[in-house]
Amino acid sequence: MTYDVIVIGLGGMGSAAAYHLAARGQRVLGLEKFTPAHDKGSSHGGSRIIRQSYFEDPAYVPLLLRAYELWDRLALDSAREVYRMTGGVFIGPPDSLTVAGSLRASRQWDLPHEVLEDAEIRSRFPNFTPNPGDVALFEAKAGFARPELTVQAHLDLAEKAGATLRFGHEVLEWSETSGGVTVRTAEGTFTAGQVVICPGAWAPQLLAEFGIPITVERQVLYWLDPVGGTAPFVDHPIFIDENDAGAQIYGFPAIDGPRGGVKVAFFRKGVECSPDTIDRTVHDHEIREMRERVADLLPALDGPCLHSATCMYANTPDQHFVIARHPESANVTVACGFSGHGFKFVPVVGEILADLATTGATAHPISLFDPRRLVTTT
């Protein structure tokens, strides 16, 4: 059978693309190396922050506004709590990226927000002990998404819409043909008019010929047991905190019950790796460093580590995404390099990839994600 579109990789972005394509009546084949909603890449760990006051670049905000609409639709269509609004507190010195960047995006796009001085932070959110002189931007529309639930919801809806999804199918190679593309796995060879490649941390191997510079980093997630129990952290905002050195940590409410702890992590404190070489063991010195850092902001989190996990960031040099039709091929669409901040965009990226694969263009603003900005020619 020849398909309209083959989607390679069924993690966050690929599962959303498969759904949006199938919902448009495309004959879709999805191929995934691992099991559904697996924990080997980037789309796992129980929670991912969602927010609109985007300190990375205000250019992301229109995509976030659309993503929020699609998060609502996904929750309704799947009858699952794929996301939850908790509010978000973004703390740091007034001139820090976390605070100043969030404020810039909020003002440029007229997003509802509040700016809190350090005393107001302590009063409104007594778990926090910010440094003197720190400020915070509070965004009521921030919260978290559930990555495994989101991936599974998109997969289920894709199959319901007619997509064929095959797991345990590692893609060995793909190539263009006169009529489209051919994709080869150990289990067989498949043909389609279009291919959408969402390789995650496997981008350096699968997309080597494109020359897109992507570095894979090992990141660690920690679930700490609060002193005195999780009750004060149940009704709690997500947070990002930046210190004077520019180092960021982030965290979530207690969302996994009394013995589930509170999830926290460093942002962009990783070691370069590959999917084949990543160290999946979390070491005592890493746990100690995380506890010491977060206890400065949230003293109650100076408790034992209940659980830890690793994931991978696939980073571009400028930490912006790659989403585009291949500049030299009308049959190939690529989405990669989400640089540790892509999951909140999953629903809208799926919509964009469906646009590109079916019409070659999208009305969404994606010029920032053109891979030609990263490829040097000699």
Side-chain angles (χ1 to χ4, degrees), residues 46-126:
S47 55
R48 289 289 186 276
I49 285 176
I50 58 175
R51 54 192 165 90
Q52 294 181 355
S53 55
Y54 219 59
F55 58 74
E56 287 84 350
D57 194 311
Y60 284 86
V61 173
L63 295 177
L64 287 162
L65 297 177
R66 177 57 178 163
Y68 269 53
E69 294 175 351
L70 293 173
W71 280 114
D72 284 343
R73 183 186 301 176
L74 180 63
L76 181 64
D77 291 347
S78 67
R80 295 175 183 174
E81 190 191 40
V82 292
Y83 79 99
R84 185 188 303 173
M85 293 301 183
T86 63
V89 180
F90 311 129
I91 307 172
D95 61 351
S96 63
L97 174 64
T98 300
V99 174
S102 298
L103 188 59
R104 179 169 66 119
S106 296
R107 287 173 172 169
Q108 181 172 327
W109 291 100
D110 196 25
L111 302 174
H113 67 280
E114 300 175 63
V115 177
L116 309 177
E117 303 295 330
D118 56 357
E120 293 176 287
I121 301 170
R122 295 169 185 265
S123 175
R124 288 269 296 273
F125 306 103

Side-chain angles (χ1 to χ4, degrees), residues 136-151:
L137 183 141
F138 174 72
E139 178 188 341
K141 289 189 175 181
F144 65 89
R146 291 278 200 177
E148 293 91 342
L149 278 181
T150 298
V151 171

Side-chain angles (χ1 to χ4, degrees), residues 21-298:
L21 285 161
R24 298 183 188 188
Q26 297 289 298
R27 293 170 299 168
V28 176
L29 172 65
L31 299 174
E32 168 58 52
K33 179 179 180 179
F34 299 108
T35 55
H38 62 82
D39 64 355
K40 303 297 189 295
S42 302
S43 300
H44 63 279
S47 55
R48 289 289 186 276
I49 285 176
I50 58 175
R51 54 192 165 90
Q52 294 181 355
S53 55
Y54 219 59
F55 58 74
E56 287 84 350
D57 194 311
Y60 284 86
V61 173
L63 295 177
L64 287 162
L65 297 177
R66 177 57 178 163
Y68 269 53
E69 294 175 351
L70 293 173
W71 280 114
D72 284 343
R73 183 186 301 176
L74 180 63
L76 181 64
D77 291 347
S78 67
R80 295 175 183 174
E81 190 191 40
V82 292
Y83 79 99
R84 185 188 303 173
M85 293 301 183
T86 63
V89 180
F90 311 129
I91 307 172
D95 61 351
S96 63
L97 174 64
T98 300
V99 174
S102 298
L103 188 59
R104 179 169 66 119
S106 296
R107 287 173 172 169
Q108 181 172 327
W109 291 100
D110 196 25
L111 302 174
H113 67 280
E114 300 175 63
V115 177
L116 309 177
E117 303 295 330
D118 56 357
E120 293 176 287
I121 301 170
R122 295 169 185 265
S123 175
R124 288 269 296 273
F125 306 103
N127 288 331
F128 291 115
T129 57
N131 293 322
D134 277 357
V135 298
L137 183 141
F138 174 72
E139 178 188 341
K141 289 189 175 181
F144 65 89
R146 291 278 200 177
E148 293 91 342
L149 278 181
T150 298
V151 171
Q152 193 61 60
H154 275 132
L155 294 175
D156 292 346
L157 290 171
E159 285 194 309
K160 185 177 180 180
T164 299
L165 307 180
R166 301 194 178 187
F167 298 91
H169 279 243
E170 180 179 2
V171 172
L172 303 176
E173 65 178 2
W174 61 271
S175 59
E176 293 187 80
T177 65
S178 58
V181 293
T182 296
V183 177
R184 185 172 69 86
T185 73
E187 289 73 24
T189 300
F190 308 95
T191 60
Q194 296 282 325
V195 65
V196 174
I197 306 175
C198 302
W202 287 261
Q205 299 97 302
L206 202 55
L207 301 177
E209 65 195 72
F210 289 3
I212 301 171
I214 291 178
T215 301
V216 178
E217 286 186 349
R218 169 186 178 270
Q219 306 290 332
V220 183
L221 314 172
Y222 308 84
W223 284 259
L224 303 181
D225 191 16
V227 176
T230 58
F233 289 89
V234 172
D235 185 17
H236 197 266
I238 60 94
F239 69 89
I240 301 172
D241 176 76
E242 182 175 337
N243 63 17
D244 290 336
Q248 294 169 307
I249 59 171
Y250 64 94
F252 299 83
I255 61 177
D256 296 317
R259 295 302 302 158
V262 173
K263 179 184 166 185
V264 295
F266 288 102
F267 187 51
R268 302 199 187 288
K269 185 178 175 60
V271 176
E272 188 170 340
C273 68
S274 74
D276 295 326
T277 64
I278 182 174
D279 181 2
R280 297 285 185 181
T281 300
V282 178
H283 303 278
D284 288 344
H285 71 89
E286 294 178 304
I287 295 171
R288 187 164 53 250
E289 184 180 19
M290 183 77 256
R291 286 180 58 190
E292 290 174 354
R293 170 66 173 89
V294 76
D296 289 339
L297 177 70
L298 293 153

Side-chain angles (χ1 to χ4, degrees), residues 9-23:
L10 294 174
M13 306 305 174
S15 62
Y19 162 62
H20 280 279
L21 285 161

